[in-house]
Amino acid sequence: MKLIYEIGEEGRKLDLFPELDVEKYELKANKRNVELHLPHVSEQELSRHFTNLAKRTHGVNDGFYPLGSCTMKYNPKIDEEMAVLPGFTNVHPLAPVESVEGCLEVMETLQERLCKIAGMDAMTLQPAAGAHGEFTGLLLIKAYHESRNDKARTKIIVPDSAHGTNPASAVMAGFEVINIPSDDKGCVDLDGLRNAVGPDTAGLMLTNPNTVGVFDKNILEITKIVHEAGGLCYYDGANLNAVMGQCRPGDMGFDVLHINLHKTFATPHGGGGPGSGPVGCKEFLAKFLPGFTAVKSANGFDKKYADNTIGNLRTMAGNFLVMVKALTYITTLGKEGIKEASSNAVLNANYMRVKLSKTYHMAYPVTCMHEFVMTLEEEHKNINVSAMDIAKSMLDYGIHPPTMYFPLIVHEALMVEPTETETKEEMDHVINVLKEIHEKAEKDPEYVRSAPHTTVINRPDEVGAARNPIVAFKF
Ligand SMILES: *Cc1c(COP(=O)(O)O)cnc(C)c1O
């Protein structure tokens, strides 16, 4: 496909700007020393160009998108509609408080509802993503130990099943990471944890359900062990889809957590769009929160800055329009709807897991939460067909592949998260496709190894694309 600079003809253009309705201002100095390169295209060429590009992508509106740990569910259109209301899109972040109280009310209401869902007492909406939230939460833990003059607590315990951002955030926040192994269900090994905690423990970072989709039944014991050693417990709540409305991290003994609005609450994950990773905490950590929180005031809403704030983690309020979508989502579903959504997410995952378990080997053959992990280790050994080959074959059926090669504790992993918004018919279709691919892999492994066969490009050099990306057009 041609780039937009390679189509069109010199002189062709379209004017999208409205007539100037303010006084014209000439720049004093012309700072530009190279020619301004704009595409020379008509409106129709522009429209076709982007329509063709859009046809080459895959989104939730195109088909099944079971990207485990990313919760690519269908997000109701009403959430987008609310987020483009001019009263929300046209506000200035530095506008006087009296003129943006509606926005502050959105934030205050969202903080309160997320606190209720998570079992926390206070919430900052400032962090821009999950990893950013982890970093924020760890700085809260650090500030807490420092405020008590407890300088020996320099270590964060992270299970080997953790999302890669966990140890990375801990290191960025200045901690040393202590890895502990998981048991045969992918859960925390209690003795391993007991041996790891001590007077140098700043805290533990944990995902529950963990990254293999299993709920750790020992959770109360785990948080107790850490607390008794003087550490705090951080909950990675990126994937709240299995627990929202069912149980609360705050009740499991966690002191601080982040939530990915761009997974669970109406903004799709990935694609480079804006995200939001609110961080919630128990009352004793609230005085360290970054930025401002929105609060009710005598006659409206106001901004409040915490007494011992760790400072700003990014500019202004955070990604406000993502918050509008999240609040719309929570409000339209309501208390019962939120609970029903997570029940269905868990039901769908278990439906697919059971239906597929005769054909594919499950890494953990137990009841899962919102996602499950298959391992292609045996196929890889016996017929030299990898998880990657199966994933690439799915592209030929117009299905987005599951998450591959994560979590690291499972070899040749494919992690499937159907989400609550898929129908039984769609799941049955995908189950049949996966069975068909498996059959093909046994009969004609080379066909599967050379998939995809119907896409625009076959197998790109992924390492090359990541290491040497070409992101600029050379004129
Ligand atoms: C997605 C995810 C994160 C990180 O979230 P980002 O917004 O991508 O930074 C952290 N932990 C888990 C378990 C996740 O699934």
Side-chain angles (χ1 to χ4, degrees), residues 60-195:
V60 172
N61 287 323
D62 298 290
F64 202 64
Y65 204 144
L67 199 60
S69 204
C70 289
T71 315
M72 299 301 289
K73 57 177 159 183
Y74 177 78
N75 297 306
K77 292 288 172 269
I78 189 171
D79 305 329
E80 297 290 335
E81 275 171 42
M82 292 305 112
V84 295
L85 290 177
F88 291 142
T89 55
N90 291 345
V91 288
H92 192 282
L94 294 176
V97 166
E98 317 83 73
S99 69
V100 292
E101 283 186 76
C103 296
L104 289 172
E105 182 171 4
V106 167
M107 294 178 71
E108 200 272 339
T109 315
L110 181 63
Q111 286 163 203
E112 194 196 309
R113 294 198 181 157
L114 290 177
C115 276
K116 277 215 176 95
I117 290 169
M120 292 290 154
D121 301 316
M123 185 79 53
T124 171
L125 303 174
Q126 198 182 46
H132 199 196
E134 291 167 21
F135 180 63
T136 307
L138 288 162
L139 291 184
L140 297 180
I141 291 177
K142 198 172 195 187
Y144 167 78
H145 291 308
E146 274 171 7
S147 75
R148 304 170 76 239
N149 215 10
D150 196 347
K151 298 213 173 77
R153 299 196 178 271
T154 55
K155 293 180 179 158
I156 293 285
I157 299 167
V158 183
D160 59 1
S161 61
H163 194 268
T165 50
N166 289 191
S169 303
V171 170
M172 273 189 71
F175 291 108
E176 190 185 324
V177 174
I178 304 293
N179 246 296
I180 54 166
S182 308
D183 67 12
D184 58 359
K185 285 194 195 73
C187 294
V188 172
D189 179 71
L190 288 181
D191 286 330
L193 177 62
R194 282 193 194 97
N195 288 334

Side-chain angles (χ1 to χ4, degrees), residues 232-255:
L232 297 185
C233 297
Y234 183 93
Y235 181 88
D236 177 341
N239 307 127
L240 221 57
N241 225 37
V243 296
M244 59 175 186
Q246 309 283 348
C247 59
R248 313 191 310 164
D251 300 334
M252 298 178 206
F254 288 94
D255 307 291

